[in-house]
Amino acid sequence: DASLGVWLRGPRSEQTLRDAGYIGRLDVIGDPALAIARPDDVERRDGRVVISALDTGGTCWGGDDGAVVSALAGVVAHLVDEGRDVALLSAHPKDDRVAIDVMRAAGHPGLEMISAYRGVDVGVAAIAEAALVIAERLHATVLAAATGTPFVAIEYRPKVRDFAESVGAGEWVLRTDELRPDVLVERAGDVLADRSRQQTVADAVEGFRSRLRTVSEELRDALEG
């Protein structure tokens, strides 16, 4: 049904299509994973930091995945020294290698590893109980927003910033070619202290959830019509 138009994750996606000359209906409805609600039986753990990285095969900004591993390792070492409870989350089996590299480079090879690819509930619970998520994997960031967990999003491709800006958290993003441990630590502190923006994100998520429900009904009616 052409009247449904095109549904998009964020404002940058919308601008890209407009710049390409698309003149039809466009509707930013948010990432579909925002429909996932925070589990009722999961409590926040003070001091818990979950980190999710990936190997982009050199396609990240700056083209250097090794530099990202080094920056994350520096942050892990700093957080552990502060007494934080740090865990590495793998969203895909191939992320395991990156998580191990980060832990070894940080000097803490025995940190907890969470295999979120073993089940959606595993990943959602791990992110929901964290006090902070630092994520290169996009959907670790999306689930953080969905469960009300503050996050630092590491932009390796434009889609990461597109999502963050869609929920009003553009200032919580760092590009892979500007990562340094000190910069990441500072940004993490800013995010945790930014109560106003945390509320902005929560409000945006609720708005998108409502829109996603409406869109699902429109799509169902179009398919059944």
Side-chain angles (χ1 to χ4, degrees), residues 61-62 67-68 71 153-155 161 170-184 187:
W61 297 123
V68 177
I154 300 175
E155 179 194 358
R161 190 174 298 272
E171 293 185 11
W172 291 0
V173 181
L174 287 170
R175 279 174 49 133
T176 51
D177 58 357
E178 62 186 17
L179 286 186
R180 296 195 315 273
D182 60 325
V183 173
L184 261 173
R187 186 60 53 87

Side-chain angles (χ1 to χ4, degrees), residues 7-25:
W7 295 324
L8 304 169
R9 173 189 287 132
R12 293 192 172 225
S13 298
E14 180 178 19
Q15 190 59 51
T16 296
L17 282 180
R18 292 301 187 201
D19 290 345
Y22 182 80
I23 60 173
R25 175 183 170 186

Side-chain angles (χ1 to χ4, degrees), residues 121-145:
D121 291 347
V122 174
V124 173
I127 289 169
E129 71 178 4
L132 175 70
V133 167
I134 300 174
E136 188 175 12
R137 273 287 180 193
L138 170 60
H139 278 87
T141 297
V142 176
L143 290 175

Side-chain angles (χ1 to χ4, degrees), residues 49-77:
V49 181
V50 170
I51 296 175
S52 179
L54 73 152
D55 184 348
T56 73
T59 62
C60 60
W61 297 123
D64 189 353
D65 289 299
V68 177
V69 168
S70 295
L72 289 175
V75 171
V76 168

